[in-house]
Amino acid sequence: MYGAGGIGCYVGGRLAATGTPVTFVGRQRMADELAAQGLRLTDYLGADLRVDDVRYETLPAAAAEADLVLVTVKSAGTKAAAGELADVLKPGTIVVSFQNGIRNGAILRERLKDQVVVPGMVPFNVLNRGGGVFHQGTEGALDVQRHPGLAPYVDSFARAGLPLKQHDDILPVQWAKLLLNLNNPINALSDLPLREELSQRAYRRCLAAAQAETLELLDAKGITPARLLPIPMHRFPAILRLPDFLFRRLAGKLLAIDPLARTSMWEDLQAGRPTEIDYLNGEVVRLADSLDRPAPVNTKLVQLIREAEVIRRPWSGADLLRELQG
Ligand SMILES: NC(=O)c1ccc[n+]([C@@H]2O[C@H](COP(=O)([O-])OP(=O)(O)OC[C@H]3O[C@@H](n4cnc5c(N)ncnc54)[C@H](OP(=O)(O)O)[C@@H]3O)[C@@H](O)[C@H]2O)c1
């Protein structure tokens, strides 16, 4: 697991707990936390696992002997991780990007010319509760581009309870996830827990505007986003715009979220770290540029997050909607 934080510790931990040899590579503070407290994994179904003998390393050289590398750094760290891995990996090593966004696979490929880079996607949410405890909050298998090199590992992932779902074309799956992740900047700007934010129509209308803009661009590009949830992606904006009481009735399941859960973009702003905005709404702006079209809503969200990275202020739903409509 390269970049073992939330996703890396959880996915790697599930694999290790069911007998797959795993080396975690990440930061010293995480190494210290796991050495002191151990690694514990819980999930929304009530699972509660302790993982013994975690091998957590802090230098890239620890990846040298790996046959399979799962990259789980945030998107802003992909380029650096690619450079480090290029120096140590064996030729032919399979490298899977389990990151959000569309372009991390391409960034890895630029440096890892002798390895096989396979893009993937994690559909569920993992909360780092601190003290070595990681919680999977929602369901889902691990999505990945189909590749014959993954065959030796399929059983290990299934045993770990995280089956690999292989796709002939992962791009529509990545775009579908990105459409959902367009809420990340809205949640971060609201400064509210997800459930509270999504319960308010004004914030949902902001998300609907960002999604509708993206869906039109994807349509123009000939990309149909995959169906990740029971509701098809193109129906989302209309459902999000519903009055609160109707939304609760029709899409109440979307609000079945831990009342304290927030997005990682909110956490990044809180911790003063760079956000993934360039790889989410920024990707929509890039798509618009490639089509010579505007993307005013997503451009504005990128700009507001850039500003929030310097000075934070909470946005009410009404103010944010006005800003995006302006
Ligand atoms: N968490 C979720 O629920 C979730 C769900 C689905 C998808 N994702 C996606 O999965 C990816 C990972 O997210 P995450 O929440 O797991 O992030 P995270 O908790 O920040 O974990 C990444 C870890 O990798 C470390 N790191 C960065 N560069 C490194 C390097 N070159 N060598 C070693 N360690 C390095 C980071 O340390 P520093 O902080 O010091 O850089 C951090 O501890 C993101 O693309 C995210 O959008 C997350």
Side-chain angles (χ1 to χ4, degrees), residues 134-195:
F134 296 86
H135 177 77
Q136 177 182 346
T138 50
E139 63 182 355
L142 293 170
D143 294 289
V144 70
Q145 175 78 41
R146 189 179 304 287
H147 194 282
L150 293 171
Y153 310 105
V154 165
D155 287 349
S156 300
F157 281 94
R159 217 170 34 240
L162 298 174
L164 286 180
K165 188 171 171 192
Q166 299 196 46
H167 300 265
D168 293 331
D169 184 6
I170 191 85
L171 191 64
V173 178
Q174 291 175 310
W175 271 112
K177 179 78 190 290
L178 195 145
L179 279 159
L180 299 176
N181 286 141
L182 294 179
N183 187 47
N184 291 13
I186 297 163
N187 174 258
L189 293 166
S190 77
D191 204 20
L192 293 174
L194 261 171
R195 192 159 89 180

Side-chain angles (χ1 to χ4, degrees), residues 180-225:
L180 299 176
N181 286 141
L182 294 179
N183 187 47
N184 291 13
I186 297 163
N187 174 258
L189 293 166
S190 77
D191 204 20
L192 293 174
L194 261 171
R195 192 159 89 180
E196 221 175 311
E197 176 237 320
L198 285 171
S199 298
Q200 297 185 33
R201 186 175 183 222
Y203 290 121
R204 291 199 309 276
R205 287 180 67 194
C206 296
L207 176 56
Q211 288 187 341
E213 183 175 279
T214 307
L215 284 162
E216 271 185 34
L217 293 165
L218 287 174
D219 207 25
K221 193 79 174 177
I223 298 172
T224 306

Side-chain angles (χ1 to χ4, degrees), residues 100-129:
N100 280 338
I102 308 293
R103 62 185 47 250
N104 285 301
I107 296 172
L108 288 166
R109 236 174 247 128
E110 268 171 33
R111 292 301 308 271
L112 298 171
K113 305 241 187 261
D114 298 329
Q115 287 75 26
V116 180
V117 175
V118 183
M121 195 276 276
V122 177
F124 51 79
N125 162 271
V126 172
L127 185 66
N128 178 353
R129 290 199 188 274

Side-chain angles (χ1 to χ4, degrees), residues 10 40-44 47-49 129 133-136:
Y10 186 80
R40 184 176 159 206
L41 311 173
T42 58
D43 76 11
Y44 64 103
D48 191 342
L49 301 170
R129 290 199 188 274
V133 184
F134 296 86
H135 177 77
Q136 177 182 346

Side-chain angles (χ1 to χ4, degrees), residues 7-320:
I7 292 292
C9 286
Y10 186 80
V11 173
R14 294 287 299 232
L15 287 163
T18 41
T20 301
V22 176
T23 302
F24 299 81
V25 183
R27 304 300 194 200
Q28 189 62 50
R29 62 176 189 278
M30 189 62 78
D32 293 344
E33 186 177 313
L34 298 190
Q37 320 252 23
L39 175 59
R40 184 176 159 206
L41 311 173
T42 58
D43 76 11
Y44 64 103
L45 294 171
D48 191 342
L49 301 170
R50 283 203 171 273
V51 189
D52 299 321
D53 303 324
V54 172
R55 183 181 170 210
Y56 200 104
E57 304 283 345
T58 55
L59 295 176
E65 292 309 312
D67 300 309
L68 175 69
V69 175
L70 308 184
V71 176
T72 56
V73 300
K74 289 253 174 76
S75 303
T78 306
K79 200 171 170 191
E84 292 158 10
L85 287 169
D87 290 340
V88 299
L89 292 187
K90 300 177 285 191
T93 304
I94 310 272
V95 179
V96 180
S97 153
F98 274 132
Q99 301 164 279
N100 280 338
I102 308 293
R103 62 185 47 250
N104 285 301
I107 296 172
L108 288 166
R109 236 174 247 128
E110 268 171 33
R111 292 301 308 271
L112 298 171
K113 305 241 187 261
D114 298 329
Q115 287 75 26
V116 180
V117 175
V118 183
M121 195 276 276
V122 177
F124 51 79
N125 162 271
V126 172
L127 185 66
N128 178 353
R129 290 199 188 274
V133 184
F134 296 86
H135 177 77
Q136 177 182 346
T138 50
E139 63 182 355
L142 293 170
D143 294 289
V144 70
Q145 175 78 41
R146 189 179 304 287
H147 194 282
L150 293 171
Y153 310 105
V154 165
D155 287 349
S156 300
F157 281 94
R159 217 170 34 240
L162 298 174
L164 286 180
K165 188 171 171 192
Q166 299 196 46
H167 300 265
D168 293 331
D169 184 6
I170 191 85
L171 191 64
V173 178
Q174 291 175 310
W175 271 112
K177 179 78 190 290
L178 195 145
L179 279 159
L180 299 176
N181 286 141
L182 294 179
N183 187 47
N184 291 13
I186 297 163
N187 174 258
L189 293 166
S190 77
D191 204 20
L192 293 174
L194 261 171
R195 192 159 89 180
E196 221 175 311
E197 176 237 320
L198 285 171
S199 298
Q200 297 185 33
R201 186 175 183 222
Y203 290 121
R204 291 199 309 276
R205 287 180 67 194
C206 296
L207 176 56
Q211 288 187 341
E213 183 175 279
T214 307
L215 284 162
E216 271 185 34
L217 293 165
L218 287 174
D219 207 25
K221 193 79 174 177
I223 298 172
T224 306
R227 189 164 168 163
L228 296 185
L229 297 172
I231 307 166
M233 291 314 302
H234 71 271
R235 292 258 175 85
F236 260 74
I239 291 172
L240 290 167
R241 288 189 198 107
L242 290 171
D244 290 338
F245 77 98
L246 266 180
F247 179 77
R248 268 196 301 275
R249 195 177 301 167
L250 283 178
K253 233 184 140 190
L254 294 179
L255 293 176
I257 318 168
D258 181 320
L260 298 181
R262 304 199 183 226
T263 55
S264 65
M265 194 169 292
W266 179 85
E267 286 169 5
D268 287 339
L269 285 183
Q270 194 75 357
R273 291 188 296 253
T275 68
E276 289 191 301
I277 192 73
D278 277 345
Y279 301 85
L280 301 176
N281 305 69
E283 194 62 45
V284 179
V285 177
R286 253 189 298 273
L287 173 64
D289 288 346
S290 77
L291 292 162
D292 207 13
R293 288 191 180 201
V297 176
N298 285 286
T299 303
K300 178 59 85 175
L301 284 166
V302 172
Q303 182 200 324
L304 294 179
I305 290 293
R306 286 268 162 276
E307 287 169 15
E309 284 171 349
V310 184
I311 302 173
R312 297 195 60 195
R313 62 161 273 207
W315 284 80
S316 73
D319 284 352
L320 187 57

